[in-house]
Coordinates of all heavy atoms in Angstrom, one line a residue:
M1 N 26.7 -19.6 -4.4 CA 25.3 -19.5 -4.6 C 24.5 -18.9 -3.4 O 23.5 -18.3 -3.5 CB 24.8 -20.9 -4.9 CG 23.3 -21.0 -5.3 SD 23.1 -20.1 -6.8 CE 21.6 -20.8 -7.4
K2 N 25.2 -19.2 -2.2 CA 24.5 -18.6 -1.0 C 24.5 -17.1 -1.0 O 23.5 -16.5 -0.5 CB 25.2 -19.1 0.3 CG 25.0 -20.5 0.6 CD 25.7 -20.9 1.9 CE 25.5 -22.4 2.2 NZ 26.2 -22.8 3.4
V3 N 25.5 -16.5 -1.5 CA 25.5 -15.0 -1.6 C 24.4 -14.5 -2.5 O 23.7 -13.6 -2.1 CB 26.9 -14.5 -2.1 CG1 26.9 -13.0 -2.4 CG2 28.0 -14.9 -1.2
N4 N 24.2 -15.1 -3.7 CA 23.1 -14.7 -4.6 C 21.8 -14.9 -3.9 O 20.9 -14.1 -4.1 CB 23.2 -15.5 -5.9 CG 24.4 -15.0 -6.7 OD1 24.9 -13.9 -6.5 ND2 24.9 -15.8 -7.6
L5 N 21.6 -16.0 -3.2 CA 20.3 -16.2 -2.6 C 20.0 -15.2 -1.5 O 18.9 -14.7 -1.4 CB 20.3 -17.6 -2.0 CG 19.0 -18.1 -1.3 CD1 17.8 -18.0 -2.3 CD2 19.1 -19.5 -0.8
R6 N 21.0 -14.9 -0.7 CA 20.9 -13.9 0.4 C 20.6 -12.5 -0.2 O 19.7 -11.8 0.2 CB 22.2 -13.8 1.2 CG 22.3 -14.9 2.2 CD 23.5 -14.7 3.0 NE 23.8 -15.9 3.8 CZ 25.0 -16.2 4.3 NH1 26.0 -15.4 4.2 NH2 25.2 -17.3 5.0
T7 N 21.3 -12.2 -1.3 CA 21.1 -10.9 -2.0 C 19.7 -10.8 -2.5 O 19.0 -9.8 -2.4 CB 22.2 -10.7 -3.0 OG1 23.4 -10.8 -2.5 CG2 22.0 -9.3 -3.7
G8 N 19.3 -11.9 -3.1 CA 17.9 -12.0 -3.7 C 16.9 -11.8 -2.6 O 15.9 -11.1 -2.9
S9 N 17.1 -12.5 -1.5 CA 16.1 -12.4 -0.4 C 16.0 -11.0 0.1 O 15.0 -10.5 0.4 CB 16.5 -13.4 0.7 OG 16.4 -14.7 0.2
R10 N 17.2 -10.4 0.3 CA 17.2 -9.0 0.8 C 16.5 -8.0 -0.1 O 15.8 -7.2 0.3 CB 18.6 -8.6 1.1 CG 19.2 -9.2 2.3 CD 20.6 -8.8 2.6 NE 21.2 -9.5 3.7 CZ 22.5 -9.8 3.8 NH1 23.3 -9.4 2.9 NH2 22.9 -10.5 4.9
L11 N 16.8 -8.2 -1.4 CA 16.1 -7.4 -2.4 C 14.6 -7.6 -2.4 O 13.9 -6.6 -2.5 CB 16.7 -7.7 -3.8 CG 16.2 -6.9 -5.0 CD1 16.4 -5.4 -4.8 CD2 16.7 -7.4 -6.3
A12 N 14.2 -8.8 -2.3 CA 12.8 -9.0 -2.2 C 12.1 -8.3 -1.0 O 11.0 -7.8 -1.1 CB 12.5 -10.5 -2.2
L13 N 12.8 -8.4 0.1 CA 12.2 -7.8 1.3 C 12.2 -6.2 1.1 O 11.2 -5.6 1.6 CB 13.1 -8.1 2.6 CG 12.9 -9.6 3.1 CD1 13.9 -9.8 4.2 CD2 11.5 -9.7 3.6
V14 N 13.2 -5.7 0.5 CA 13.2 -4.2 0.3 C 12.1 -3.8 -0.6 O 11.4 -2.9 -0.4 CB 14.6 -3.8 -0.3 CG1 14.5 -2.3 -0.7 CG2 15.7 -3.9 0.8
L15 N 11.9 -4.6 -1.7 CA 10.8 -4.3 -2.7 C 9.5 -4.5 -2.0 O 8.6 -3.6 -2.3 CB 10.9 -5.2 -3.9 CG 12.1 -4.9 -4.8 CD1 12.1 -6.0 -5.9 CD2 11.9 -3.5 -5.5
L16 N 9.3 -5.5 -1.2 CA 8.0 -5.7 -0.5 C 7.7 -4.5 0.4 O 6.6 -4.0 0.5 CB 8.1 -6.9 0.3 CG 6.8 -7.3 1.1 CD1 5.6 -7.5 0.1 CD2 7.0 -8.6 1.9
A17 N 8.7 -4.1 1.2 CA 8.5 -2.9 2.1 C 8.2 -1.6 1.3 O 7.3 -0.8 1.7 CB 9.8 -2.7 2.9
F18 N 8.9 -1.4 0.2 CA 8.7 -0.2 -0.6 C 7.3 -0.2 -1.2 O 6.5 0.7 -1.2 CB 9.7 -0.2 -1.8 CG 9.5 0.9 -2.7 CD1 9.8 2.2 -2.3 CD2 8.9 0.8 -3.9 CE1 9.6 3.3 -3.2 CE2 8.8 1.8 -4.8 CZ 9.1 3.1 -4.4
C19 N 6.8 -1.4 -1.7 CA 5.5 -1.5 -2.3 C 4.4 -1.2 -1.3 O 3.4 -0.7 -1.6 CB 5.3 -2.8 -3.0 SG 6.3 -3.0 -4.5
S20 N 4.6 -1.7 -0.1 CA 3.6 -1.5 0.9 C 3.5 0.0 1.3 O 2.4 0.4 1.7 CB 3.9 -2.4 2.2 OG 5.0 -2.0 2.8
V21 N 4.5 0.7 1.3 CA 4.5 2.1 1.6 C 3.9 2.9 0.4 O 3.1 3.9 0.6 CB 6.0 2.6 1.8 CG1 6.0 4.2 2.0 CG2 6.5 2.0 3.1
V22 N 4.1 2.5 -0.8 CA 3.7 3.3 -2.0 C 2.2 3.0 -2.3 O 1.6 3.8 -2.8 CB 4.6 2.9 -3.2 CG1 4.0 3.5 -4.5 CG2 6.0 3.3 -3.0
A23 N 1.7 1.9 -1.9 CA 0.3 1.5 -2.2 C -0.7 2.4 -1.7 O -0.6 3.0 -0.6 CB 0.0 0.1 -1.7
A24 N -1.7 2.7 -2.5 CA -2.8 3.6 -2.1 C -3.7 2.8 -1.1 O -3.8 1.7 -1.2 CB -3.5 4.1 -3.3
R25 N -4.3 3.6 -0.3 CA -5.3 3.0 0.7 C -6.7 3.5 0.4 O -6.9 4.7 0.3 CB -4.9 3.3 2.1 CG -5.8 2.8 3.2 CD -5.4 3.1 4.6 NE -5.7 4.5 5.0 CZ -6.8 4.8 5.5 NH1 -7.8 3.9 5.7 NH2 -7.1 6.1 5.9
D26 N -7.6 2.6 0.2 CA -9.0 3.0 0.0 C -9.6 3.4 1.3 O -9.4 2.8 2.3 CB -9.8 1.8 -0.6 CG -9.4 1.3 -2.0 OD1 -8.7 2.2 -2.7 OD2 -9.8 0.2 -2.4
L27 N -10.3 4.5 1.2 CA -11.0 5.0 2.4 C -12.4 4.5 2.4 O -13.0 4.5 1.4 CB -10.9 6.6 2.4 CG -9.6 7.1 2.9 CD1 -8.5 6.9 1.9 CD2 -9.7 8.6 3.2
N28 N -13.0 4.3 3.6 CA -14.4 3.9 3.6 C -15.3 5.2 3.7 O -14.8 6.3 3.7 CB -14.6 3.0 4.9 CG -14.4 3.7 6.2 OD1 -14.8 4.9 6.4 ND2 -13.9 3.0 7.1
Q29 N -16.6 4.9 3.6 CA -17.5 6.1 3.5 C -17.5 7.0 4.7 O -17.7 8.2 4.6 CB -18.9 5.7 3.2 CG -19.6 4.8 4.2 CD -20.9 4.2 3.8 OE1 -21.0 3.7 2.7 NE2 -21.9 4.4 4.6
D30 N -17.2 6.4 5.9 CA -17.2 7.3 7.1 C -16.0 8.2 7.1 O -16.1 9.4 7.4 CB -17.1 6.4 8.4 CG -18.4 5.6 8.6 OD1 -19.5 6.1 8.2 OD2 -18.4 4.5 9.2
E31 N -14.8 7.7 6.6 CA -13.6 8.5 6.5 C -13.9 9.6 5.4 O -13.5 10.8 5.6 CB -12.4 7.6 6.1 CG -12.0 6.7 7.2 CD -10.9 5.7 6.7 OE1 -11.2 5.0 5.7 OE2 -9.9 5.7 7.3
A32 N -14.5 9.2 4.3 CA -14.8 10.2 3.3 C -15.7 11.3 3.7 O -15.5 12.5 3.5 CB -15.4 9.5 2.0
L33 N -16.7 10.9 4.5 CA -17.7 11.9 5.0 C -17.0 12.8 6.0 O -17.2 14.0 5.9 CB -18.9 11.2 5.7 CG -19.9 12.1 6.4 CD1 -20.6 13.0 5.4 CD2 -20.9 11.3 7.1
A34 N -16.1 12.3 6.9 CA -15.4 13.2 7.8 C -14.5 14.1 7.0 O -14.5 15.3 7.4 CB -14.6 12.3 8.7
L35 N -13.8 13.7 6.0 CA -13.0 14.6 5.2 C -13.8 15.6 4.5 O -13.4 16.9 4.4 CB -12.1 13.8 4.2 CG -11.0 12.9 4.8 CD1 -10.5 12.0 3.7 CD2 -9.9 13.8 5.4
R36 N -14.9 15.3 4.0 CA -15.9 16.2 3.3 C -16.3 17.3 4.3 O -16.4 18.4 4.0 CB -17.0 15.5 2.7 CG -18.0 16.4 2.0 CD -17.4 17.1 0.8 NE -18.4 18.1 0.3 CZ -18.3 19.4 0.4 NH1 -17.2 19.9 0.9 NH2 -19.2 20.2 -0.1
Q37 N -16.7 16.8 5.5 CA -17.2 17.8 6.5 C -16.2 18.7 7.0 O -16.5 19.9 7.4 CB -17.9 17.0 7.7 CG -19.2 16.3 7.3 CD -19.7 15.4 8.4 OE1 -19.0 15.0 9.3 NE2 -21.0 15.1 8.3
Q38 N -15.0 18.3 7.0 CA -13.8 19.2 7.4 C -13.4 20.1 6.3 O -12.6 21.0 6.5 CB -12.6 18.3 7.8 CG -12.8 17.4 9.0 CD -11.8 16.4 9.2 OE1 -10.8 16.4 8.6 NE2 -12.1 15.4 10.1
G39 N -14.0 19.9 5.1 CA -13.6 20.7 3.9 C -12.2 20.3 3.3 O -11.7 21.1 2.5
V40 N -11.8 19.1 3.6 CA -10.6 18.7 3.0 C -10.7 18.2 1.6 O -9.9 18.4 0.7 CB -10.0 17.5 3.9 CG1 -8.7 16.9 3.2 CG2 -9.7 18.0 5.3
I41 N -11.8 17.6 1.3 CA -12.1 17.1 -0.1 C -13.4 17.7 -0.6 O -14.3 18.1 0.2 CB -12.2 15.6 -0.2 CG1 -13.3 15.0 0.7 CG2 -10.8 15.0 0.3 CD1 -13.5 13.5 0.5
L42 N -13.6 17.7 -1.9 CA -14.8 18.0 -2.6 C -15.8 16.9 -2.5 O -15.4 15.8 -2.3 CB -14.5 18.4 -4.0 CG -13.6 19.6 -4.2 CD1 -13.2 19.7 -5.7 CD2 -14.1 20.9 -3.7
S43 N -17.1 17.2 -2.7 CA -18.1 16.2 -2.7 C -17.9 15.2 -3.8 O -17.5 15.6 -5.0 CB -19.5 16.8 -2.7 OG -19.8 17.3 -4.0
L44 N -18.3 13.9 -3.6 CA -18.2 13.0 -4.6 C -19.2 13.3 -5.7 O -18.9 13.2 -6.9 CB -18.6 11.6 -4.1 CG -18.7 10.4 -5.1 CD1 -17.4 10.2 -5.8 CD2 -19.1 9.1 -4.4
E45 N -20.3 13.8 -5.4 CA -21.4 14.2 -6.4 C -20.8 15.2 -7.4 O -20.9 15.1 -8.6 CB -22.6 14.8 -5.7 CG -23.7 15.3 -6.7 CD -24.9 15.8 -5.9 OE1 -24.7 16.6 -5.0 OE2 -26.0 15.6 -6.4
Q46 N -20.1 16.3 -6.9 CA -19.5 17.3 -7.7 C -18.4 16.6 -8.7 O -18.4 17.0 -9.9 CB -18.8 18.3 -6.9 CG -18.2 19.4 -7.6 CD -17.5 20.4 -6.7 OE1 -17.6 20.4 -5.5 NE2 -16.7 21.4 -7.2
L47 N -17.6 15.7 -8.2 CA -16.5 15.2 -9.0 C -17.1 14.1 -9.9 O -16.6 14.0 -11.0 CB -15.5 14.6 -8.1 CG -14.7 15.7 -7.3 CD1 -13.7 15.1 -6.3 CD2 -14.0 16.7 -8.2
L48 N -18.2 13.4 -9.5 CA -18.8 12.5 -10.5 C -19.4 13.3 -11.7 O -19.3 12.8 -12.8 CB -19.9 11.7 -9.8 CG -19.5 10.5 -9.0 CD1 -20.6 9.8 -8.3 CD2 -18.7 9.5 -9.9
Q49 N -20.0 14.4 -11.4 CA -20.6 15.2 -12.5 C -19.5 15.6 -13.5 O -19.6 15.5 -14.7 CB -21.2 16.4 -11.9 CG -22.6 16.2 -11.3 CD -23.2 17.4 -10.7 OE1 -22.6 18.5 -10.6 NE2 -24.4 17.3 -10.1
Q50 N -18.3 16.0 -12.9 CA -17.2 16.4 -13.8 C -16.7 15.1 -14.6 O -16.4 15.3 -15.8 CB -16.1 16.9 -12.9 CG -14.8 17.3 -13.6 CD -13.7 17.8 -12.7 OE1 -14.0 18.2 -11.6 NE2 -12.5 17.8 -13.1
A51 N -16.6 14.0 -14.0 CA -16.1 12.8 -14.7 C -17.1 12.4 -15.7 O -16.7 12.1 -16.9 CB -15.9 11.6 -13.7
M52 N -18.4 12.4 -15.4 CA -19.4 12.0 -16.3 C -19.6 12.9 -17.5 O -19.9 12.6 -18.6 CB -20.8 11.8 -15.6 CG -20.8 10.8 -14.5 SD -20.6 9.1 -15.0 CE -22.4 8.8 -15.4
A53 N -19.3 14.2 -17.3 CA -19.4 15.2 -18.4 C -18.3 15.0 -19.4 O -18.4 15.4 -20.6 CB -19.2 16.6 -17.8
R54 N -17.2 14.3 -19.0 CA -16.1 14.0 -20.0 C -16.6 13.0 -21.0 O -16.0 13.0 -22.1 CB -14.9 13.5 -19.3 CG -14.2 14.6 -18.3 CD -12.9 14.1 -17.7 NE -12.0 13.8 -18.7 CZ -11.2 14.7 -19.4 NH1 -11.4 16.0 -19.2 NH2 -10.3 14.3 -20.3
H55 N -17.5 12.2 -20.6 CA -18.0 11.1 -21.5 C -19.5 11.0 -21.4 O -20.1 10.2 -20.7 CB -17.4 9.7 -21.1 CG -15.9 9.8 -21.1 ND1 -15.2 9.7 -22.3 CD2 -15.0 10.0 -20.2 CE1 -13.8 9.8 -22.1 NE2 -13.7 10.0 -20.8
P56 N -20.2 11.9 -22.1 CA -21.7 12.0 -22.1 C -22.3 10.7 -22.4 O -21.9 9.9 -23.3 CB -22.0 13.0 -23.1 CG -20.8 13.9 -23.3 CD -19.7 12.9 -23.0
G57 N -23.4 10.3 -21.6 CA -24.1 9.1 -21.8 C -23.5 7.9 -21.1 O -24.0 6.8 -21.2
S58 N -22.3 8.1 -20.5 CA -21.6 7.0 -19.9 C -22.4 6.5 -18.6 O -23.2 7.3 -18.0 CB -20.2 7.3 -19.6 OG -20.1 8.4 -18.7
R59 N -22.1 5.3 -18.1 CA -22.7 4.9 -16.8 C -21.5 4.6 -15.9 O -20.5 4.1 -16.3 CB -23.4 3.5 -17.1 CG -24.6 3.7 -17.9 CD -25.4 2.4 -18.2 NE -24.6 1.5 -19.0 CZ -24.3 0.3 -18.8 NH1 -24.6 -0.3 -17.6 NH2 -23.6 -0.4 -19.6
L60 N -21.8 4.9 -14.6 CA -20.9 4.7 -13.5 C -20.7 3.2 -13.2 O -21.7 2.5 -13.0 CB -21.3 5.5 -12.3 CG -20.5 5.3 -11.1 CD1 -19.1 5.9 -11.3 CD2 -21.2 6.0 -9.9
L61 N -19.5 2.7 -13.1 CA -19.2 1.4 -12.7 C -18.8 1.3 -11.3 O -19.2 0.5 -10.5 CB -18.2 0.7 -13.5 CG -18.6 0.5 -15.0 CD1 -17.4 -0.1 -15.8 CD2 -19.8 -0.5 -15.1
E62 N -17.9 2.3 -10.9 CA -17.3 2.2 -9.6 C -16.7 3.6 -9.3 O -16.2 4.2 -10.1 CB -16.2 1.1 -9.5 CG -15.6 1.0 -8.2 CD -14.5 -0.2 -8.2 OE1 -14.1 -0.6 -9.3 OE2 -14.2 -0.6 -7.1
A63 N -16.7 4.0 -8.0 CA -16.0 5.2 -7.5 C -15.4 4.9 -6.2 O -16.1 4.3 -5.3 CB -17.0 6.3 -7.4
E64 N -14.1 5.2 -6.0 CA -13.4 5.0 -4.8 C -12.6 6.2 -4.5 O -12.0 6.9 -5.3 CB -12.4 3.8 -5.0 CG -13.0 2.5 -5.2 CD -12.0 1.4 -5.4 OE1 -10.8 1.7 -5.8 OE2 -12.3 0.2 -5.2
L65 N -12.5 6.4 -3.1 CA -11.6 7.5 -2.6 C -10.4 6.8 -2.1 O -10.5 5.9 -1.3 CB -12.3 8.3 -1.5 CG -11.5 9.4 -0.9 CD1 -11.0 10.5 -1.9 CD2 -12.3 10.0 0.3
E66 N -9.2 7.3 -2.6 CA -7.9 6.7 -2.1 C -7.1 7.7 -1.5 O -7.1 8.9 -1.9 CB -7.2 6.1 -3.3 CG -7.9 5.0 -4.0 CD -7.1 4.5 -5.2 OE1 -6.2 5.1 -5.7 OE2 -7.4 3.4 -5.7
S67 N -6.3 7.3 -0.5 CA -5.3 8.1 0.1 C -3.9 7.6 -0.3 O -3.6 6.4 -0.1 CB -5.5 8.1 1.6 OG -4.4 8.8 2.3
K68 N -3.0 8.5 -0.8 CA -1.7 8.1 -1.2 C -0.8 9.3 -0.9 O -1.0 10.3 -1.4 CB -1.6 7.7 -2.6 CG -0.3 7.1 -3.0 CD -0.4 6.6 -4.5 CE 0.9 6.0 -4.9 NZ 0.7 5.4 -6.3
H69 N 0.3 9.1 0.0 CA 1.2 10.1 0.3 C 0.5 11.4 0.8 O 1.0 12.5 0.4 CB 2.1 10.4 -0.9 CG 2.9 9.2 -1.4 ND1 3.8 8.5 -0.7 CD2 2.9 8.6 -2.6 CE1 4.3 7.6 -1.4 NE2 3.7 7.6 -2.5
G70 N -0.5 11.2 1.5 CA -1.1 12.4 2.2 C -2.1 13.2 1.2 O -2.6 14.3 1.6
S71 N -2.3 12.7 0.0 CA -3.2 13.3 -0.9 C -4.4 12.4 -1.1 O -4.3 11.2 -1.0 CB -2.5 13.7 -2.3 OG -2.1 12.6 -2.9
Y72 N -5.5 13.0 -1.6 CA -6.7 12.2 -1.8 C -7.1 12.2 -3.3 O -7.1 13.3 -3.9 CB -7.9 12.7 -0.9 CG -7.4 12.7 0.5 CD1 -7.1 13.8 1.2 CD2 -7.6 11.5 1.3 CE1 -6.7 13.8 2.6 CE2 -7.2 11.4 2.6 CZ -6.8 12.6 3.3 OH -6.4 12.6 4.6
V73 N -7.5 11.0 -3.8 CA -7.8 10.9 -5.2 C -9.1 10.1 -5.3 O -9.2 9.0 -4.7 CB -6.6 10.2 -6.0 CG1 -7.0 9.9 -7.4 CG2 -5.4 11.0 -5.9
Y74 N -10.0 10.6 -6.1 CA -11.2 9.8 -6.5 C -10.9 9.0 -7.8 O -10.4 9.6 -8.7 CB -12.4 10.7 -6.8 CG -13.2 11.0 -5.5 CD1 -13.3 12.3 -5.0 CD2 -13.9 10.0 -4.8 CE1 -14.0 12.6 -3.9 CE2 -14.6 10.3 -3.7 CZ -14.7 11.6 -3.3 OH -15.4 11.9 -2.1
E75 N -11.0 7.7 -7.8 CA -10.8 6.9 -8.9 C -12.2 6.5 -9.4 O -13.0 5.8 -8.6 CB -10.0 5.7 -8.6 CG -9.7 4.8 -9.8 CD -8.8 3.7 -9.5 OE1 -7.7 3.9 -9.0 OE2 -9.3 2.5 -9.8
V76 N -12.6 6.9 -10.6 CA -13.9 6.6 -11.1 C -13.8 5.7 -12.4 O -13.0 6.0 -13.3 CB -14.6 7.9 -11.5 CG1 -16.0 7.7 -12.1 CG2 -14.7 8.8 -10.2
E77 N -14.6 4.7 -12.5 CA -14.7 3.8 -13.6 C -16.0 4.0 -14.2 O -17.0 3.9 -13.6 CB -14.4 2.4 -13.3 CG -12.9 2.1 -13.0 CD -12.6 0.6 -12.8 OE1 -13.5 -0.3 -13.1 OE2 -11.5 0.3 -12.4
L78 N -16.0 4.3 -15.6 CA -17.2 4.5 -16.3 C -17.2 3.5 -17.5 O -16.1 3.1 -18.0 CB -17.2 5.9 -16.9 CG -17.1 7.1 -16.0 CD1 -17.0 8.4 -16.8 CD2 -18.2 7.1 -15.1
V79 N -18.4 3.2 -18.0 CA -18.5 2.6 -19.3 C -19.1 3.5 -20.3 O -20.2 4.1 -19.9 CB -19.2 1.2 -19.2 CG1 -20.6 1.3 -18.8 CG2 -19.1 0.4 -20.5
T80 N -18.5 3.7 -21.4 CA -19.0 4.7 -22.3 C -20.1 4.1 -23.2 O -20.4 2.9 -23.1 CB -17.9 5.2 -23.3 OG1 -17.5 4.1 -24.1 CG2 -16.7 5.8 -22.5
T81 N -20.8 4.9 -23.9 CA -21.8 4.5 -24.8 C -21.3 3.5 -25.9 O -22.1 2.7 -26.4 CB -22.6 5.6 -25.5 OG1 -21.6 6.4 -26.2 CG2 -23.3 6.5 -24.6
D82 N -20.0 3.5 -26.1 CA -19.4 2.6 -27.1 C -19.0 1.2 -26.4 O -18.4 0.4 -27.0 CB -18.1 3.2 -27.7 CG -18.5 4.4 -28.5 OD1 -19.6 4.5 -29.0 OD2 -17.6 5.3 -28.6
G83 N -19.2 1.1 -25.0 CA -18.9 -0.1 -24.3 C -17.4 -0.1 -23.8 O -16.9 -1.2 -23.4
V84 N -16.7 1.0 -23.9 CA -15.4 1.1 -23.4 C -15.3 1.5 -22.0 O -16.0 2.5 -21.6 CB -14.6 2.2 -24.3 CG1 -13.2 2.4 -23.8 CG2 -14.6 1.7 -25.7
V85 N -14.6 0.8 -21.2 CA -14.4 1.2 -19.8 C -13.2 2.2 -19.6 O -12.1 2.0 -20.2 CB -14.1 -0.1 -18.9 CG1 -13.8 0.3 -17.5 CG2 -15.2 -1.1 -19.0
R86 N -13.6 3.3 -19.0 CA -12.6 4.4 -18.8 C -12.3 4.5 -17.3 O -13.2 4.4 -16.5 CB -13.2 5.8 -19.2 CG -13.7 5.8 -20.6 CD -12.8 6.0 -21.7 NE -11.8 7.0 -21.5 CZ -10.7 7.1 -22.3 NH1 -10.5 6.3 -23.3 NH2 -9.8 8.1 -22.1
E87 N -11.0 4.8 -17.0 CA -10.6 5.0 -15.6 C -10.2 6.5 -15.6 O -9.4 7.0 -16.3 CB -9.4 4.2 -15.2 CG -8.9 4.4 -13.8 CD -7.7 3.5 -13.4 OE1 -7.8 2.3 -13.7 OE2 -6.8 4.1 -12.9
I88 N -10.9 7.2 -14.7 CA -10.7 8.6 -14.5 C -10.2 8.9 -13.0 O -10.8 8.3 -12.1 CB -12.0 9.4 -14.8 CG1 -12.4 9.2 -16.2 CG2 -11.7 10.9 -14.5 CD1 -13.7 9.8 -16.6
K89 N -9.1 9.6 -12.9 CA -8.7 9.9 -11.5 C -8.7 11.4 -11.4 O -8.2 12.2 -12.2 CB -7.2 9.4 -11.3 CG -7.2 7.9 -11.2 CD -5.8 7.5 -10.7 CE -5.8 5.9 -10.4 NZ -4.7 5.5 -9.8
L90 N -9.3 11.9 -10.3 CA -9.4 13.3 -10.0 C -8.9 13.6 -8.6 O -9.1 12.8 -7.6 CB -11.0 13.7 -10.0 CG -11.7 13.4 -11.3 CD1 -13.2 13.4 -11.1 CD2 -11.3 14.5 -12.3
D91 N -8.2 14.7 -8.5 CA -7.7 15.1 -7.2 C -9.0 15.5 -6.4 O -9.7 16.3 -6.8 CB -6.8 16.3 -7.4 CG -6.2 16.8 -6.0 OD1 -7.0 17.1 -5.1 OD2 -4.9 16.8 -5.9
A92 N -9.1 14.8 -5.2 CA -10.3 15.0 -4.4 C -10.3 16.3 -3.7 O -11.4 16.8 -3.3 CB -10.5 13.9 -3.4
T93 N -9.2 17.0 -3.6 CA -9.1 18.3 -2.9 C -9.4 19.4 -3.9 O -10.1 20.4 -3.5 CB -7.7 18.4 -2.3 OG1 -7.4 17.4 -1.4 CG2 -7.6 19.7 -1.5
T94 N -8.9 19.4 -5.1 CA -9.0 20.5 -6.0 C -10.0 20.2 -7.2 O -10.4 21.1 -7.9 CB -7.6 20.8 -6.6 OG1 -7.2 19.7 -7.4 CG2 -6.6 21.1 -5.6
G95 N -10.2 18.9 -7.5 CA -11.0 18.5 -8.6 C -10.2 18.4 -9.9 O -10.8 18.1 -10.9
A96 N -8.9 18.6 -9.8 CA -8.1 18.6 -11.0 C -8.1 17.2 -11.6 O -8.0 16.2 -10.9 CB -6.7 19.0 -10.7
L97 N -8.1 17.1 -13.0 CA -8.1 15.8 -13.6 C -6.6 15.3 -13.6 O -5.7 16.1 -13.9 CB -8.5 16.0 -15.1 CG -8.4 14.7 -16.0 CD1 -9.4 13.7 -15.5 CD2 -8.6 15.1 -17.4
L98 N -6.4 14.1 -13.1 CA -5.1 13.5 -13.0 C -4.9 12.5 -14.1 O -3.8 12.3 -14.6 CB -4.9 12.8 -11.7 CG -5.1 13.7 -10.5 CD1 -5.0 12.9 -9.2 CD2 -4.0 14.9 -10.5
K99 N -6.0 11.8 -14.5 CA -5.8 10.7 -15.5 C -7.3 10.4 -16.1 O -8.2 10.5 -15.4 CB -5.3 9.5 -14.8 CG -5.2 8.2 -15.6 CD -4.6 7.1 -14.7 CE -5.0 5.8 -15.1 NZ -4.4 4.8 -14.3
D100 N -7.3 10.2 -17.4 CA -8.4 9.7 -18.1 C -8.0 8.8 -19.2 O -7.5 9.3 -20.2 CB -9.2 10.9 -18.6 CG -10.5 10.5 -19.4 OD1 -10.8 9.2 -19.5 OD2 -11.3 11.3 -19.7
E101 N -8.1 7.5 -19.0 CA -7.6 6.6 -20.0 C -8.5 5.3 -20.1 O -9.2 5.0 -19.1 CB -6.2 6.2 -19.8 CG -5.9 5.4 -18.5 CD -4.4 5.2 -18.3 OE1 -3.6 6.0 -18.7 OE2 -4.1 4.2 -17.6
E102 N -8.4 4.6 -21.1 CA -9.1 3.3 -21.3 C -8.6 2.4 -20.3 O -7.3 2.2 -20.1 CB -8.9 2.8 -22.7 CG -9.8 1.6 -23.1 CD -9.8 1.2 -24.5 OE1 -9.6 2.2 -25.4 OE2 -9.8 0.1 -24.7
D103 N -9.4 1.6 -19.6 CA -9.0 0.7 -18.6 C -8.8 -0.6 -19.2 O -9.5 -1.0 -20.1 CB -10.1 0.6 -17.5 CG -9.6 -0.1 -16.2 OD1 -8.4 -0.2 -16.0 OD2 -10.4 -0.6 -15.5
D104 N -7.7 -1.3 -18.8 CA -7.4 -2.6 -19.4 C -8.2 -3.7 -18.9 O -8.6 -3.9 -17.8 CB -5.9 -2.9 -19.2 CG -5.0 -1.9 -19.9 OD1 -5.4 -1.4 -20.9 OD2 -3.9 -1.6 -19.4

């Protein structure tokens, strides 16, 4: 039983380390502004217009800039006119749509 407990503990540590590396980091507004001024990312206003155009009449719930593996992604949550919450992810550098799906 000691072998299984040790193996389980080691596996848990490896998974914890992996998850902490994979997790996206939310950037604050100062970091976002600096990236925008450096020309690294597109403006939030531009990308919000793109997201809102996908679902006319929708209302913005939340917008976050995330950094993951050296790339930047805007995650936008909208509520549609039908009351459905949508999660839209856009590449903050290119504006490419990465995801548009109903949020659980």
